[in-house]
Amino acid sequence: MIDRLRDRTEPWDMIVIGGGATGMGIAVDAASRRFDVLLLEQSDFGKGTSSRSTKLVHGGVRYLQQGNISLVMEALRERGRLLQNAPHLVSDLEFVVPNYEWWEAPFYGVGMKVYDVMAGRYRFGRSKNLSVEETIERLPNIEREGLRGGVSYHDGQFDDARLLVNLAQTAFEQGATVVNYARADGLLKDGAGFTTGVRLSDQETGEEFEAPAKVVINATGPFTDSVRRMDCEDAAPVIQPSQGVHITLDRAFLAGESAIMVPRTSDGRVMFALPWHDHVIVGTTDTPLEDVSLEPRALPDEIDFILETAEPYLVKDPTREDILSVFAGIRPLKRAAEEESTARISREHSIDVSASGLITIAGGKWTTYRNMAEDCVDHAITVGDLEDRPCVTKSLRIHGHLRDAERFEQRLHDALPYRAGEVVWSARSEMARTVDDYLSRRSRATFLNARAAIEMAPAVAQLLAAELGRADGWTEIQVKDYEEIAQGFLP
Ligand SMILES: Cc1cc2nc3c(=O)[nH]c(=O)nc-3n(C[C@H](O)[C@H](O)[C@H](O)COP(=O)(O)OP(=O)(O)OC[C@H]3O[C@@H](n4cnc5c(N)ncnc54)[C@H](O)[C@@H]3O)c2cc1C
């Protein structure tokens, strides 16, 4: 990567400063539109906020509470797209809102139905009201005293740093040059004051470079304002940094496969307790900050707040001694009006073009990184006077997509040799469109063992639905249709 940087004499079409979700998303978008793009990250990819999130690919039930319908719709659409493009990294997670008051079941039950409807064809699992027994079955560690039941809904979960690394690989495969440990130290300007590139240094060797570019993009999250000041010393700040903390506990604190969602904490936020990599993470907080750093530290008050909020919901109260790890991240929120609390500041992104042509993208969330990138590259095309080429990332597969080894290697039936990956392959490469296509002609399951084939049908339908992007209900119809056909193959 450094050699490419050193050998380059022509201006890059775009230089992106910042290797978090925002910057890497832009590199993937720009490279897949066949632009020559260079991405610079001062530390490691994802060192900033993008490895420190709650790890949810979500529409944001909280934003629904706040009435921010357009943000929720956008995020729900992107959630569905990410599941399609990176099924090896995104999984469906059931959340339960435990109810201790009489009004909670109808209130949250209706709210979650609205969330389901808004997701439309990109819906994950369906929401439903749960009895006390069903709630305990899902959350064996839930505090039972006063428990009236729960409301279950679904959202996506992912590994943020892993997705970032896979995005870096995708950007590279699409032709981007992405360099970690390369810091942007200043901007290059021409005689008229226009931004014409970036001055940077290799953080391992100290070597300095001047990289010319048609357009420069500032995607540095919490550090946005420091790069804006490289452009113009007295640039007005656009970021209101706010810290969020999570604690990690032993899995024993939250057995079962579901997460707890607390819809209203004492400071008016939501709080989650989630199973993640066989541990439990609980968070988060929202503390306005003055200064930003690459290694933010949790404040004692934030840890106390998380423990206090978790206590009433768990059979065993977690204490400081139970905390296995605590991590803090800085939300790069758009600066809001003085009186607005950070919990209410919009999570939508904004794009600003300075007088010198520096593009700054700020705000947003992990879930919407793709959409943010599309918007930003559209702006960069105008600012850099580049050829207008359409975005292709809505269906661009993210590196690792095909290597969904565990899921794809799974045998579909003991009596037949077929594996899940073959169903996906048949849809992708052999034009299989229905369960019957796969079971009867791409594989020969129907002809070999009709009874076993009928038993395989639901799994085949689900694999095809995910691969072909089918709406809810499609799998049931497919299975029914196939069963009718397969009945004719039984003696
Ligand atoms: C506690 C918390 C929980 C969250 N949970 C969720 C969630 O569950 N779901 C969700 O969708 N979103 C969530 N978010 C939001 C999401 O994590 C962020 O919106 C996203 O990660 C921001 O990415 P970014 O690329 O803008 O910033 P960052 O990831 O911080 O990336 C910016 C990068 O720029 C680099 N940089 C800075 N200056 C320079 C320079 N001069 N030269 C080169 N590089 C530079 C930094 O090193 C850094 O790596 C959460 C945020 C927080 C804080």
Side-chain angles (χ1 to χ4, degrees):
M1 295 291 183
I2 295 280
D3 283 346
R4 282 192 188 176
L5 181 56
R6 199 178 282 125
D7 296 345
R8 182 92 190 182
T9 48
E10 291 287 296
W12 298 87
D13 289 329
M14 287 176 215
I15 294 181
V16 183
I17 309 174
T22 309
M24 201 57 82
I26 294 167
V28 169
D29 186 300
S32 58
R33 295 197 211 194
R34 300 288 161 256
F35 290 119
D36 275 341
V37 57
L38 168 67
L39 178 140
L40 304 171
E41 165 55 51
Q42 64 176 354
S43 177
D44 189 19
F45 303 127
K47 171 76 175 178
T49 309
S50 298
S51 59
R52 299 155 184 273
S53 77
T54 312
K55 288 106 179 74
L56 298 182
V57 186
H58 62 160
V61 170
R62 180 153 66 99
Y63 315 124
L64 188 62
Q65 280 178 359
Q66 293 172 356
N68 194 339
I69 303 293
S70 64
L71 177 62
V72 179
M73 294 284 281
E74 174 195 342
L76 286 172
R77 254 197 315 270
E78 291 303 323
R79 181 186 76 164
R81 286 185 179 133
L82 196 55
L83 178 66
Q84 267 171 30
N85 297 332
H88 56 305
L89 296 177
V90 179
S91 53
D92 186 314
L93 180 63
E94 181 184 42
F95 291 76
V96 177
V97 183
N99 300 156
Y100 293 92
E101 304 283 347
W102 66 266
W103 54 268
E104 288 177 313
F107 183 75
Y108 293 118
V110 169
M112 297 315 175
K113 283 277 170 282
V114 173
Y115 197 62
D116 283 353
V117 170
M118 284 170 74
R121 64 181 279 249
Y122 292 115
R123 190 189 305 158
F124 279 42
R126 263 175 215 278
S127 69
K128 59 177 166 205
N129 283 59
L130 304 175
S131 66
V132 173
E133 293 70 34
E134 287 169 328
T135 306
I136 293 171
E137 194 183 304
R138 285 164 171 82
L139 305 172
N141 306 79
I142 193 74
E143 178 58 65
R144 296 171 189 201
E145 204 182 314
L147 185 69
R148 290 168 165 268
V151 176
S152 130
Y153 73 98
H154 291 252
D155 243 326
Q157 186 179 39
F158 75 129
D159 180 329
D160 45 12
R162 173 61 28 203
L163 174 57
L164 193 59
V165 171
N166 281 178
L167 282 172
Q169 290 166 305
T170 310
F172 171 74
E173 286 157 5
Q174 296 294 325
T177 300
V178 294
V179 197
N180 53 357
Y181 298 98
R183 189 180 68 205
D185 298 317
L187 300 178
L188 307 175
K189 302 276 179 91
D190 66 10
F194 283 107
T195 299
T196 55
V198 175
R199 204 160 39 74
L200 66 125
S201 50
D202 178 335
Q203 298 299 291
E204 291 180 350
T205 62
E207 188 176 354
E208 294 186 348
F209 300 85
E210 287 198 347
K214 294 176 188 160
V215 54
V216 177
I217 297 167
N218 171 12
T220 51
F223 302 89
T224 299
D225 289 324
S226 64
V227 174
R228 277 168 60 81
R229 283 192 293 273
M230 290 176 189
D231 180 38
C232 170
E233 260 175 31
D234 47 8
V238 292
I239 291 290
Q240 165 64 68
S242 147
Q243 173 162 295
V245 167
H246 293 86
I247 60 170
T248 309
L249 300 172
D250 191 278
R251 189 73 162 89
F253 280 91
L254 186 72
E257 298 306 317
S258 304
I260 300 179
M261 196 275 227
V262 177
R264 198 164 180 83
T265 59
S266 58
D267 68 345
R269 301 180 41 76
V270 299
M271 176 88 75
F272 295 102
L274 319 146
W276 192 67
H277 287 318
D278 212 22
H279 286 70
V280 180
I281 58 174
V282 189
T284 174
T285 55
D286 204 330
T287 313
L289 289 186
E290 289 303 321
D291 299 315
V292 295
S293 93
L294 269 181
E295 281 297 345
R297 291 282 164 91
L299 304 172
D301 281 357
E302 294 184 290
I303 296 175
D304 290 342
F305 175 77
I306 295 174
L307 291 173
E308 280 161 21
T309 307
E311 260 175 33
Y313 293 91
L314 300 176
V315 174
K316 183 169 180 284
D317 295 347
T319 65
R320 273 180 177 260
E321 286 64 47
D322 296 314
I323 298 176
L324 302 175
S325 187
V326 47
F327 57 95
I330 306 176
R331 293 182 190 82
L333 301 179
K334 283 189 302 179
R335 191 165 272 269
E338 291 282 300
E339 64 278 5
E340 225 174 333
S341 83
T342 47
R344 287 203 65 84
I345 297 178
S346 168
R347 266 54 175 172
E348 276 158 293
H349 69 277
S350 68
I351 293 176
D352 170 89
V353 184
S354 77
S356 84
L358 174 71
I359 298 181
T360 294
I361 175 159
K365 32 193 253 160
W366 237 123
T367 307
T368 54
Y369 84 92
R370 191 214 63 80
N371 193 31
M372 292 164 65
E374 177 178 353
D375 193 8
C376 188
V377 173
D378 286 346
H379 277 75
I381 288 172
T382 310
V383 174
D385 198 18
L386 301 168
E387 192 184 320
D388 194 359
R389 301 179 196 148
C391 171
V392 297
T393 54
K394 281 194 183 87
S395 56
L396 183 74
R397 291 194 169 129
I398 292 168
H399 182 94
H401 186 284
L402 277 171
R403 278 194 241 131
D404 196 355
E406 252 174 62
R407 195 164 71 93
F408 287 173
E409 277 177 16
Q410 196 190 325
R411 278 270 291 271
L412 294 171
H413 201 284
D414 288 344
L416 291 167
Y418 303 116
R419 291 179 192 271
E422 295 170 53
V423 181
V424 175
W425 175 262
S426 75
R428 215 170 269 179
S429 309
E430 298 174 339
M431 295 170 76
R433 310 291 291 167
T434 68
V435 169
D436 178 48
D437 291 351
Y438 175 73
L439 286 173
S440 301
R441 290 166 298 278
R442 302 307 184 279
S443 80
R444 308 315 307 271
T446 319
F447 290 70
L448 292 171
N449 183 337
R451 228 177 290 280
I454 290 172
E455 284 164 12
M456 285 160 69
V460 171
Q462 264 175 18
L463 287 159
L464 287 177
E467 184 58 26
L468 299 171
R470 298 298 187 216
D472 248 34
W474 185 83
T475 49
E476 286 82 0
I477 296 170
Q478 276 292 310
V479 171
K480 202 162 154 281
D481 287 353
Y482 175 71
E483 277 172 3
E484 255 178 59
I485 296 170
Q487 288 299 332
F489 284 74
L490 291 173

